[in-house]
Structure formats: C-alpha cells, structure tokens
Amino acid sequence: MKKLLEVLQYGENDIRFNTDIDVEKNPGSISGITLNSAMAMATKLWGGKEQSVLAVIRALILADLACSVNRKQMIRMMDEESRKLAKAMNEAVEAFRANGGTVMTFGPGTAPSKTKS
C-alpha cells in the first residue's frame, strides 16, 4: 500500500500534507496516479462519501490554482490534459462495449447491488 496523499487538519488554520510519492525520483508516477484515480472515480469510489471526497479534492485543486504563479496557464494545461484523458477513457469504454462488455454507471452515493443477477 502506498500513501498517495494524506491531508490532516490539526487546527483552524493548520493543514498538513504527506505522501509516499517522490516525483523527483519518479516523475512518471504522476501519469499513472492520474489514470488510476480517474478510473477509481469512474468505477469504484463507493462507501457513501463520494460527494464529500470529491468536494475536498476540488477544494485542494482550487487552493492550488489560487497559489499558482500563472493561473490561466495552469487552467489551460489542466483543461487540455483532462480532455485527453476523458477522450481516452471514453474510447476505452466504447471498445469494451464493442467487444460485448456491459458498462453500468451509478450516481454519487449509490452503491452497486451486493447481489448478483
């Protein structure tokens, strides 16, 4: 198990971050984390806290953008990279369906059935 990101709040204004990832030693690890995170968010982020988890992730993104030296450039880069990832994920889903696979989606807070049908 690897700690991707730990965010703890110790007081009103004391938020601390920790990770097991060392991007200086392995800069390519981020692309894998991005893809795996997107897949988890699209397929298995269950447990009833999806809305809160995604809200905190978005809050961290907003904080990062607020501290960015060139906010508009960062937003453009994130927009382009997320567009490419979304396209690749959609193509993978379509290929899966074309090979006879079934894809089911569930809204936030909705867990898949625990029984097989």
Side-chain angles (χ1 to χ4, degrees):
M1 184 168 70
K2 202 181 320 186
K3 185 185 311 180
L4 297 179
L5 180 63
E6 178 180 53
V7 183
L8 298 173
Q9 185 170 6
Y10 288 91
E12 191 65 29
N13 298 311
D14 186 7
I15 295 178
R16 301 178 195 180
F17 304 89
N18 191 15
T19 183
D20 291 340
I21 309 302
D22 187 341
V23 294
E24 290 180 9
K25 289 182 181 173
N26 188 4
S29 64
I30 296 303
S31 59
I33 291 169
T34 302
L35 178 58
N36 291 338
S37 297
M39 292 302 293
M41 288 175 178
T43 59
K44 60 182 179 186
L45 184 59
W46 305 110
K49 293 197 171 198
E50 296 84 2
Q51 187 174 5
S52 296
V53 168
L54 293 172
V56 171
I57 290 170
R58 290 180 180 129
L60 294 171
I61 293 167
L62 289 174
D64 180 45
L65 286 170
C67 297
S68 179
V69 173
N70 190 334
R71 204 175 120 276
K72 288 184 180 183
Q73 181 181 8
M74 177 80 83
I75 291 170
R76 277 193 304 273
M77 184 273 300
M78 292 174 89
D79 183 45
E80 182 59 30
E81 293 301 313
S82 65
R83 184 183 348 267
K84 288 182 209 174
L85 181 57
K87 182 180 180 209
M89 289 178 67
N90 287 330
E91 288 171 354
V93 166
E94 289 309 313
F96 183 69
R97 284 184 174 143
N99 287 317
T102 303
V103 177
M104 295 173 41
T105 58
F106 301 90
T110 306
S113 172
K114 295 189 186 309
T115 61
K116 293 183 180 180
S117 58

